[in-house]
Amino acid sequence: MAYIYKRGKTWTADVSLLMNGKRKHKTKSGFSTKVSAQRWANETEVEKQNNDLILDSGQTFPDFFSEWYTTFKKNTVGRDAQRWYVYILKTLRENFPNTKLETITRVHWQRFLNKYALTHSVSTVKKFNTRVRQMVRDAVADGYIQKDFTYGAKFSGKPVKDDDLKFLEQTDMGNLIASVNSKPISERSMSDMMILAALQTGARYAELAGITWDSIDNESNIISITKSWDQVTKVFKGTKTKNSIRDIEVTEPFIRQLEDLHVIYPRSQFVFGGNSEFPPTSNAVNKQLRRDLSAINAEKVITFHGLRHTHASWLISKGVDIQYVSERLGHANIEITLSTYTHLLKEKREDEIKRSISLLSQM
């Protein structure tokens, strides 16, 4: 119901509505006559009846994002995600310092993404847009804006390292495994053990660092991923997504190596703790990996995360079902796996085309 009243020499119209159990108001002042104020109120009432009424948040875009993050995300996401949201807020403050949320259009947002893409990769641009879109959809649902200005956004970005540089070819992978296995376990570094574990499981660094001895099933040759390790705060935390909680089958010889490791370091809480209180840092395992790759004269020098890509790429190249590979990697959905390994799937498809044509020619 609308409320019309005079304030000084002008008229003000106030339209209220009940939303999510709370009384909200949309107010406009400065009307020269009561009739013009009533006309605006009538039009606003129609918008309300048609569910088209947009409430003025009274906040800038960055301030609204900050309040949304604090209310809905801060206490429900991990530290890595928290750092991302804080970074996004900082970037929004730099680019939309005084811009009201309800004034942002798809054109404004696309122009920002185009500018942001000049100094960031496509994947980073997409990630930025995805997290802002979560807020935007909530703002639409709550009636603060009418349309999702992130809808249909187009993504570009700086060139990144070619896909074929992210993983080892089969020969180098085999040589790396042989080189690490040639070192006696009693003399082998924990970083080397994590390198083997990454090639066996395709797990992320934080997942492998967080493995404790109760995560190892010696009889079934399974490593259970149920948590991860935050190397900065030195605390256990949840996995990246709910799908990241998984059981990964590994080879029996590798399980036997882990058993031998446990005998050598019985007091370590972590499988890859050794004589230290905590597992190796990501920096430490990356340094060891570079040394190992240099020792075997590898064609490529990749990061520890590249071992995850090596694991998945090798399985796909051997014809392992993409759905199983996705589950093994703990991806949130198969679309992520498909987009990450598109180049390999295309090669596999070309091989299947040649095979199909060869079979058809024999008919």
Side-chain angles (χ1 to χ4, degrees):
M1 183 175 179
Y3 175 49
I4 312 297
Y5 58 94
K6 194 171 187 179
R7 177 181 292 173
K9 295 183 179 180
T10 61
W11 292 85
T12 297
D14 182 301
V15 176
S16 65
L17 73 159
L18 195 64
M19 181 177 291
N20 298 327
K22 296 182 179 181
R23 182 66 58 181
K24 307 254 182 192
H25 295 266
K26 184 165 186 176
T27 305
K28 187 172 182 179
S29 305
F31 294 104
S32 58
T33 65
K34 184 176 182 179
V35 173
S36 57
Q38 186 65 61
R39 184 183 303 115
W40 178 87
N42 292 340
E43 292 172 352
T44 305
E45 286 285 355
V46 171
E47 291 179 357
K48 183 173 75 172
Q49 296 300 322
N50 293 333
N51 293 320
D52 291 331
L53 181 61
I54 303 302
L55 298 174
D56 186 351
S57 68
Q59 294 177 297
T60 63
F61 180 14
D63 286 345
F64 190 93
F65 183 88
S66 177
E67 184 176 319
W68 172 84
Y69 161 66
T70 302
T71 304
F72 295 102
K73 292 294 181 179
K74 188 174 182 179
N75 297 322
T76 62
V77 299
R79 292 184 182 274
D80 289 342
Q82 287 179 11
R83 284 191 283 269
W84 244 102
Y85 283 113
V86 171
Y87 163 71
I88 290 173
L89 177 58
K90 178 177 179 291
T91 306
L92 293 180
R93 290 199 189 284
E94 292 171 351
N95 289 272
F96 301 93
N98 302 308
T99 308
K100 290 291 188 70
L101 173 66
E102 53 270 18
T103 65
I104 304 290
T105 66
R106 290 180 63 211
V107 173
H108 293 142
W109 186 244
Q110 187 62 59
R111 285 174 179 168
F112 162 74
L113 290 181
N114 294 344
K115 176 184 174 183
Y116 186 73
L118 296 176
T119 54
H120 297 83
S121 68
V122 176
S123 62
T124 300
V125 175
K126 287 182 177 179
K127 185 179 291 188
F128 195 107
N129 183 77
T130 296
R131 284 185 157 86
V132 171
R133 184 175 61 205
Q134 295 170 357
M135 180 223 75
V136 172
R137 289 180 173 177
D138 282 353
V140 172
D142 290 339
Y144 291 109
I145 55 177
Q146 187 172 357
K147 295 181 179 180
D148 176 0
F149 57 75
T150 66
Y151 174 78
K154 306 301 179 185
F155 308 111
S156 58
K158 289 175 58 180
V160 294
K161 190 185 295 185
D162 292 338
D163 284 333
D164 65 342
L165 296 178
K166 293 180 179 178
F167 62 91
L168 298 175
E169 299 297 340
Q170 181 171 330
T171 299
D172 282 342
M173 180 184 71
N175 289 339
L176 175 60
I177 293 172
S179 176
V180 174
N181 278 331
S182 68
K183 306 172 187 178
I185 292 182
S186 59
E187 300 174 12
R188 198 179 299 174
S189 70
M190 291 302 101
S191 291
D192 269 334
M193 290 302 298
M194 287 186 70
I195 288 169
L196 287 183
L199 289 170
Q200 280 275 330
T201 64
R204 304 172 178 91
Y205 161 78
E207 294 172 341
L208 291 173
I211 295 175
T212 48
W213 289 109
D214 57 355
S215 301
I216 308 297
D217 185 335
N218 296 342
E219 294 184 2
S220 301
N221 301 331
I222 287 175
I223 297 177
S224 296
I225 304 295
T226 59
K227 56 188 178 299
S228 61
W229 176 250
D230 190 321
Q231 62 179 328
V232 177
T233 60
K234 292 182 171 51
V235 296
F236 289 108
K237 61 179 184 178
T239 54
K240 186 173 183 180
T241 69
K242 64 179 182 180
N243 284 359
S244 297
I245 298 175
R246 62 202 188 277
D247 291 338
I248 305 177
E249 298 82 0
V250 296
T251 64
E252 184 176 350
F254 183 65
I255 288 292
R256 301 292 84 82
Q257 287 194 26
L258 294 183
E259 289 178 344
D260 292 343
L261 195 69
H262 200 188
V263 172
I264 298 171
Y265 306 105
R267 296 183 179 181
S268 175
Q269 173 189 11
F270 298 91
V271 170
F272 304 114
N275 284 324
S276 301
E277 184 179 0
F278 303 114
T281 63
S282 58
N283 185 50
V285 293
N286 272 298
K287 284 184 177 180
Q288 183 60 44
L289 177 59
R290 286 194 293 271
R291 286 192 290 266
D292 288 342
L293 292 175
S294 175
I296 65 170
N297 295 315
E299 182 181 349
K300 305 170 187 174
V301 176
I302 63 170
T303 64
F304 185 80
H305 193 75
L307 298 176
R308 175 173 166 85
H309 292 310
T310 301
H311 175 86
S313 300
W314 187 77
L315 291 178
I316 292 172
S317 70
K318 296 300 180 182
V320 176
D321 181 67
I322 190 69
Q323 177 67 49
Y324 172 70
V325 173
S326 181
E327 293 171 1
R328 193 172 175 87
L329 294 175
H331 278 161
N333 53 65
I334 194 172
E335 284 74 21
I336 295 175
T337 317
L338 290 169
S339 63
T340 303
Y341 301 101
T342 299
H343 59 294
L344 288 175
L345 296 172
K346 284 182 179 178
E347 293 174 6
K348 190 166 182 277
R349 179 178 174 79
E350 290 173 2
D351 291 339
E352 293 298 330
I353 290 174
K354 292 177 182 178
R355 181 167 173 268
S356 297
I357 295 301
S358 175
L359 290 172
L360 289 170
S361 66
Q362 300 173 23
M363 291 176 62

